[in-house]
Amino acid sequence: MSILFASRGDDPQAWETALREAGCTLPFTAELPSAPDPAIRYLLTWQPPARLYRNLPGLRAIFSLGAGVDHLFENGPPPGDIPIIRLRDAGMAGQMSEYALWAVIGHHRQMHAYRRRQQERRWAPLPARPAAKIRVLVLGLGVLGEAVANTVRAQGYSVSGWARRPREIAGIDCLHGQAALATALGQTDVLINLLPLTAETRGMIASTLFARLKPGACFVNIARGAHVVERDLLQALDSGVIDHAVLDVFAEEPLPEQHPFWTHPGIIVTPHIAAQTLTGPSARQIAENIALLEAGGTPDGLVSREQGY
Ligand code: NDP
Ligand code: OXD
């Protein structure tokens, strides 16, 4: 019985050490099997290579090395009904909250406008605005969306959140359904995307949604690039519907060198770092879940294949 680690660009040694420190004693390998290996029981992966599963007949669970699981479906769905388990927070909620708060404060304090004024050597103060007048809408009120909504709210901003099902979070105006979203967009100063990428959400941030936004809004994408129709975003920026966008994720990553986002004056680009996977807390969560599975229990962070998140 063993663990297979399959994640290009991650240091397997660091993960093995972290798992050991978390009390997991199962044999660990990062060598992909070239023939069926029934001893491999648990897969820890980010963007698994194609055809990996055919050599894993004894697989009992797939652990995503991220909060999202869309990367597991890129080469076709994982086989059968093998449970898929994702990271829940594991140190990411704090990072997301910092990133989102930075973007919200930047828009509130009009840093983008001041940046433009600086480039023109223009000394031109803008009127002050109270935080409570800035309306923030968070798409997705899951582990990360809820943390972001609470953090932003704690700084005095007016916060709404949109989820698939009705939710109740103290101090947050929780919405669901398309009609509620359409109404909220018209009052939104900062739109933050924290949805999972699913069949329902792919491409949903497009011209129709942008047209409903309050003119001059800021758009922050810290979920997945494929949620957004990129040419529609460029159009919304160029027509002034959106004042500026803060983008951490892209349809193609790394963002290609010739991509117009790199040089657009209304776009801030970061390289998918809004919330990075932290080896220590993530390994602890995975080790606890493996122990639960070994004891016949239900792991935390189980993904619904039907819903895609
Ligand atoms: P969760 O699964 O905890 O939350 C997902 C939320 O989205 C839930 O509130 C869910 O609603 C809502 N949702 C799902 N589908 C729909 C829909 N069709 N319409 C409306 N709401 C919907 O995910 P996390 O908060 O843990 O993570 C969110 C995403 O953040 C990840 O999937 C990943 O893509 C991204 N991410 C990006 C990182 C980065 O560095 N840029 C790092 C980590 C994650 P309900 O509550 O009703 O179920
Ligand atoms: C994640 C990510 O899903 O880093 O965790 O994008």
Side-chain angles (χ1 to χ4, degrees):
M1 174 181 20
S2 62
I3 294 173
L4 174 65
F5 183 86
S7 174
R8 269 177 295 125
D10 277 313
D11 174 12
Q13 188 62 58
W15 279 90
E16 184 175 7
T17 304
L19 283 167
R20 297 284 170 259
E21 283 169 3
C24 181
T25 54
L26 294 184
F28 176 100
T29 179
E31 210 155 298
L32 302 186
S34 53
D37 182 349
I40 295 170
R41 200 177 265 203
Y42 300 110
L43 172 66
L44 275 51
T45 190
W46 179 262
Q47 295 180 326
R51 297 186 294 280
L52 171 69
Y53 298 107
R54 67 184 175 167
N55 285 335
L56 305 178
L59 200 60
R60 290 258 188 104
I62 300 165
F63 288 91
S64 167
L65 295 178
V69 293
D70 47 292
H71 63 101
L72 297 174
F73 294 83
E74 274 166 14
N75 291 321
D81 52 4
I82 300 169
I84 297 173
I85 301 153
R86 72 188 190 92
L87 294 176
R88 282 174 52 85
D89 183 356
M92 285 189 269
Q95 296 178 68
M96 272 305 182
S97 301
E98 292 158 3
Y99 189 106
L101 187 59
W102 159 75
V104 170
I105 293 176
H107 184 67
H108 166 212
R109 299 305 305 265
Q110 305 175 90
M111 292 305 173
H112 215 74
Y114 287 123
R115 180 85 193 133
R116 287 192 287 254
R117 282 164 164 74
Q118 181 182 340
Q119 279 154 2
E120 296 159 5
R121 297 167 185 253
R122 196 150 64 90
W123 186 273
L126 292 161
R129 307 184 289 182
K133 292 263 185 226
I134 305 295
R135 301 188 72 98
V136 178
L137 172 60
V138 183
L139 303 179
L141 283 174
V143 174
L144 302 178
E146 182 172 348
V148 162
N150 285 329
T151 300
V152 171
R153 160 98 177 92
Q155 293 304 314
Y157 296 99
S158 301
V159 182
S160 305
W162 187 70
R164 210 163 53 85
R165 298 163 289 194
R167 293 288 309 277
E168 270 186 36
I169 306 171
I172 311 292
D173 184 20
C174 293
L175 314 166
H176 66 282
Q178 290 299 328
L181 174 61
T183 307
L185 286 168
Q187 299 156 5
T188 295
D189 295 292
V190 185
L191 178 68
I192 301 176
N193 178 31
L194 263 169
L195 290 166
L197 183 63
T198 66
E200 262 182 51
T201 63
R202 183 179 291 274
M204 70 162 264
I205 303 177
S207 55
T208 311
L209 183 148
F210 291 135
R212 292 191 169 126
L213 262 180
K214 182 173 165 182
C218 163
F219 171 56
V220 182
N221 192 11
I222 42 184
R224 287 291 182 264
H227 284 127
V228 178
V229 177
E230 292 187 340
R231 66 170 182 281
D232 291 2
L233 173 58
L234 285 169
Q235 228 163 44
L237 282 159
D238 293 341
S239 66
V241 168
I242 294 180
D243 177 71
H244 68 280
V246 178
L247 306 178
D248 184 54
V249 285
F250 305 90
E252 186 181 346
E253 295 182 4
L255 187 63
E257 213 179 307
Q258 299 309 320
H259 199 289
F261 285 176
W262 281 117
T263 50
H264 196 289
I267 295 180
I268 295 174
V269 168
T270 55
H272 200 141
I273 48 73
Q276 293 174 280
T277 295
L278 304 178
T279 313
S282 306
R284 280 195 288 281
Q285 202 171 98
I286 291 168
E288 275 167 28
N289 272 330
I290 289 178
L292 269 172
L293 285 164
E294 287 295 309
T298 306
D300 187 30
L302 210 48
V303 168
S304 154
R305 284 188 187 235
E306 202 185 329
Q307 280 151 23
Y309 71 98

